[in-house]
Amino acid sequence: MAGAWLLLALLLVPQGGDTAQLPHGDTFREELLLHPLRSGDIAATFQFRTRLDSDLRKERVSHYRLFPKVLGQVISKYSIQELHLSFTQGFWRTRSWGQPLLEAPAGAELWVWFQESVTDVDRNWKELTNILSGIFCASLNFIDSTNTVTPTASFKPLGLANVTDHHLLRYAMLPREIVCTENLTPWKKLLPCGSKVGLASLLEAERLYHSSYHSQSVHIRPVCRDAGCSAISWELRQTLTVVFDMYTNGQGKRDWSLFKMFSRTVTEPCPLATQSKIYVDSGYDEKEIDLFEVTPLSALDVGVPVHGDQRVYTLYDLLEPELFNTSRNLNVALKWKGGSDSGQPQPPIFHAERYVSGYGLQTGVINTMIYNNHPYRAFPVMFLETVPWYLRLYVHTLTIITKGKENKPSYIHYVPAKDRQRPHLLEMLIQLPPNSVTKISIQFERALLKWTEYPPDPNHGFYISPSVLSVLIPSIRNVKTDELEASPLFSTLFPSSDGSSYFMRLYTEPLLVNLPTPDFSMPYNVICLTCTVVAVGYGSFYNLLTRTFQVEDHTRGGLVKKIANIIRRLRDLHCPSI
């Protein structure tokens, strides 16, 4: 009995004095960034990073500790180099909310780089979409050749990549995908601690979907294990961004707290996490850093380079034992001091919008407006347009106008669509002058589909995928990040090599285009009329074929009929009709 108690005590004692350090170097980090927006909304960005110190391209891993086994098997089976998947409900309002840390298009987006050993990329792509559809309970199985493209310059690998053949890349978007709890639940199950403890305990579906914007994503890529890149690790980064309209719900007050947003507070960090932190942006910029008061007070303030500028954040380290000594939960709150607000927000350096013009149901024009609000710097932008085959583009009508003059792209790649086989793909590298607005216009013609190709609600319209803009914006400050491992996760997704510029990928609004739609009530009427005619004709013909006819014998029942006729006459005499 004593030996059993001794063995149990040895198992319960943490080895090495740190329960977060697991063998084989597997690590897990979690963080939350709270950022007040000028519109009065609050943006909360969760990031969870799980790193597997094994090269899935060369090694066969049989036991997974923190890294999800289902994703590890998918990477090994389909020879994936990189995988990026996002589900978004709503649209990020760049003009009023500012530049996002990581923007995603409305609906579902998936782009994958395959390894060079893959011989049939299309078959792996088709099987992968079906597998991911089952893992995340989404409609990714609707991805086929009609909405899949192979960009040449817009989507470069974000991790270690020796592949330069763009034929190993596949990109697809489902702008009509509806994001709901069915997508959030499997996403949370990929976390080592699930949603029971740590920052993930704040992710309550009822509160998350009662918001203005919600986006969850999964990014898998190989990264260097050390500075010399002597070994390779696989990184799974799960991000979730949600925007709450606390200004309207709070009756005009800009005060907020974790409990007001999520109806919960943080009680403890994830025991498997090596880092668990909360960053709070207490001001819009350095000039207005005293507009808010953060509670509880924290003596830790860190400077982080974000979008080419140095910002100061209040830091709460959940792994510090003193943080939960005074209370059993942590409810970070931010109180508006009032003060002087500068009014309307300054326009972002770079943003874009798109709309459809024209009248009628035959032709139209797709217009994209790209804004460069930098006062003196010009920078190039990679423009990607994906249009379904039923919108037939007139490429000769493509015009690019900047400040009233024609702006010729330095690079253009166009793949025409084939009916019911592939969409249009247009890629262009455009130089944006400083303080300018560039308008891209192209005409199209609407096709008439077969009546079986229309969705159940054809009068609602057809969703067109948003445009993708990739740009390298020059930084105001030259900031170098020497140790990416010690930096916050939200500043290391797109690291810059020299710090003189930062990468940004933005998306325009998805378009809703009406197509020529037949009168679906006419087939219904025709079917009803045809069924009636067939029923009457067939019923009569069937009765003639199956009914038995007999000759009536007048010799029988003669007396009975006579008596019945006499009774009927007598009754008519006593009860005449009125």
Side-chain angles (χ1 to χ4, degrees), residues 240-385:
L240 188 145
T241 303
V242 57
V243 177
F244 294 98
D245 186 5
M246 303 300 296
Y247 186 74
T248 303
N249 298 334
Q251 299 178 353
K253 297 181 180 180
R254 300 192 178 187
D255 302 344
W256 58 265
S257 64
L258 289 180
F259 186 78
K260 288 183 179 180
M261 290 188 293
F262 303 103
S263 299
R264 297 180 180 181
T265 57
V266 180
T267 57
E268 59 178 324
C270 174
L272 300 177
T274 58
Q275 289 186 13
S276 182
K277 299 179 179 180
I278 298 179
Y279 295 87
V280 181
D281 189 359
S282 58
Y284 297 135
D285 51 39
E286 293 181 354
K287 297 180 181 179
E288 300 172 341
I289 199 170
D290 294 330
L291 291 178
F292 297 96
E293 180 182 356
V294 183
T295 57
L297 297 178
S298 175
L300 299 177
D301 290 334
V302 294
V304 181
V306 178
H307 292 164
D309 196 4
Q310 187 81 7
R311 300 189 65 87
V312 178
Y313 296 90
T314 302
L315 173 63
Y316 296 90
D317 192 352
L318 302 184
L319 296 183
E320 291 292 335
E322 295 82 6
L323 190 62
F324 294 98
N325 285 342
T326 57
S327 61
R328 295 183 178 181
N329 56 13
L330 176 63
N331 184 25
V332 180
L334 190 145
K335 185 177 181 180
W336 173 262
K337 291 183 179 181
S340 59
D341 192 357
S342 58
Q344 294 294 330
Q346 297 181 356
I349 295 180
F350 174 73
H351 65 98
E353 58 186 21
R354 191 169 65 151
Y355 61 93
V356 176
S357 61
Y359 58 91
L361 293 178
Q362 182 179 2
T363 60
V365 182
I366 298 178
N367 303 283
T368 305
M369 309 292 292
I370 307 177
Y371 297 84
N372 176 17
N373 296 318
H374 201 283
Y376 57 88
R377 295 292 295 271
F379 47 84
V381 58
M382 181 60 66
F383 176 80
L384 171 67
E385 186 79 80

Side-chain angles (χ1 to χ4, degrees), residues 26-298:
D26 296 347
T27 58
F28 173 68
R29 294 175 57 184
E30 61 177 4
E31 71 179 27
L32 168 61
L33 172 63
L34 301 174
H35 176 60
L37 306 175
R38 275 199 176 274
S39 59
D41 303 318
I42 301 296
T45 302
F46 295 83
Q47 291 219 31
F48 307 92
R49 194 201 70 172
T50 307
R51 193 181 69 178
L52 174 65
D53 286 350
S54 299
D55 194 353
L56 296 175
R57 299 173 299 181
K58 301 178 181 179
E59 306 175 16
R60 184 174 182 179
V61 181
S62 58
H63 183 70
Y64 294 85
R65 300 179 181 273
L66 300 180
F67 200 90
K69 182 178 180 180
V70 60
L71 295 182
Q73 292 177 342
V74 168
I75 294 172
S76 302
K77 181 177 181 180
Y78 297 104
S79 302
I80 296 175
Q81 178 72 20
E82 282 192 19
L83 186 147
H84 303 271
L85 173 64
S86 66
F87 299 97
T88 305
Q89 187 72 28
F91 178 72
W92 183 273
R93 305 184 183 101
T94 308
R95 281 193 169 184
S96 57
W97 293 348
Q99 301 287 2
L101 294 175
L102 179 62
E103 188 178 358
E109 182 194 39
L110 174 65
W111 56 285
V112 179
W113 276 93
F114 292 93
Q115 300 177 19
E116 297 180 350
S117 58
V118 177
T119 56
D120 193 348
V121 178
D122 292 331
R123 189 183 70 175
N124 281 27
W125 169 255
K126 183 61 178 178
E127 295 180 0
L128 177 63
T129 54
N130 286 275
I131 291 294
L132 295 178
S133 177
I135 294 176
F136 294 98
C137 297
S139 302
L140 299 178
N141 55 312
F142 285 95
I143 295 178
D144 53 13
S145 61
T146 60
N147 48 29
T148 300
V149 295
T150 303
T152 58
S154 297
F155 291 89
K156 295 298 183 181
L158 299 181
L160 297 178
N162 297 324
V163 291
T164 56
D165 188 3
H166 66 273
H167 293 93
L168 300 174
L169 171 65
R170 291 296 182 271
Y171 174 81
M173 190 182 301
L174 298 176
R176 198 172 182 174
E177 179 71 13
I178 303 299
V179 185
C180 60
T181 311
E182 295 179 353
N183 309 120
L184 180 64
T185 301
W187 185 88
K188 292 191 295 186
K189 290 182 178 179
L190 299 177
L191 300 173
C193 296
S195 58
K196 303 299 181 182
V197 294
L199 297 178
S201 61
L202 300 175
L203 303 179
E204 184 183 1
E206 182 180 358
R207 298 297 301 170
L208 293 180
Y209 291 104
H210 188 67
S211 58
S212 303
Y213 177 83
H214 173 271
S215 177
Q216 63 186 62
S217 59
V218 173
H219 304 276
I220 305 176
R221 60 179 179 177
V223 295
C224 292
R225 193 176 304 180
D226 49 21
C229 203
S230 59
I232 304 299
S233 299
W234 278 85
E235 178 190 78
L236 166 64
R237 187 172 299 209
Q238 299 175 244
T239 65
L240 188 145
T241 303
V242 57
V243 177
F244 294 98
D245 186 5
M246 303 300 296
Y247 186 74
T248 303
N249 298 334
Q251 299 178 353
K253 297 181 180 180
R254 300 192 178 187
D255 302 344
W256 58 265
S257 64
L258 289 180
F259 186 78
K260 288 183 179 180
M261 290 188 293
F262 303 103
S263 299
R264 297 180 180 181
T265 57
V266 180
T267 57
E268 59 178 324
C270 174
L272 300 177
T274 58
Q275 289 186 13
S276 182
K277 299 179 179 180
I278 298 179
Y279 295 87
V280 181
D281 189 359
S282 58
Y284 297 135
D285 51 39
E286 293 181 354
K287 297 180 181 179
E288 300 172 341
I289 199 170
D290 294 330
L291 291 178
F292 297 96
E293 180 182 356
V294 183
T295 57
L297 297 178
S298 175

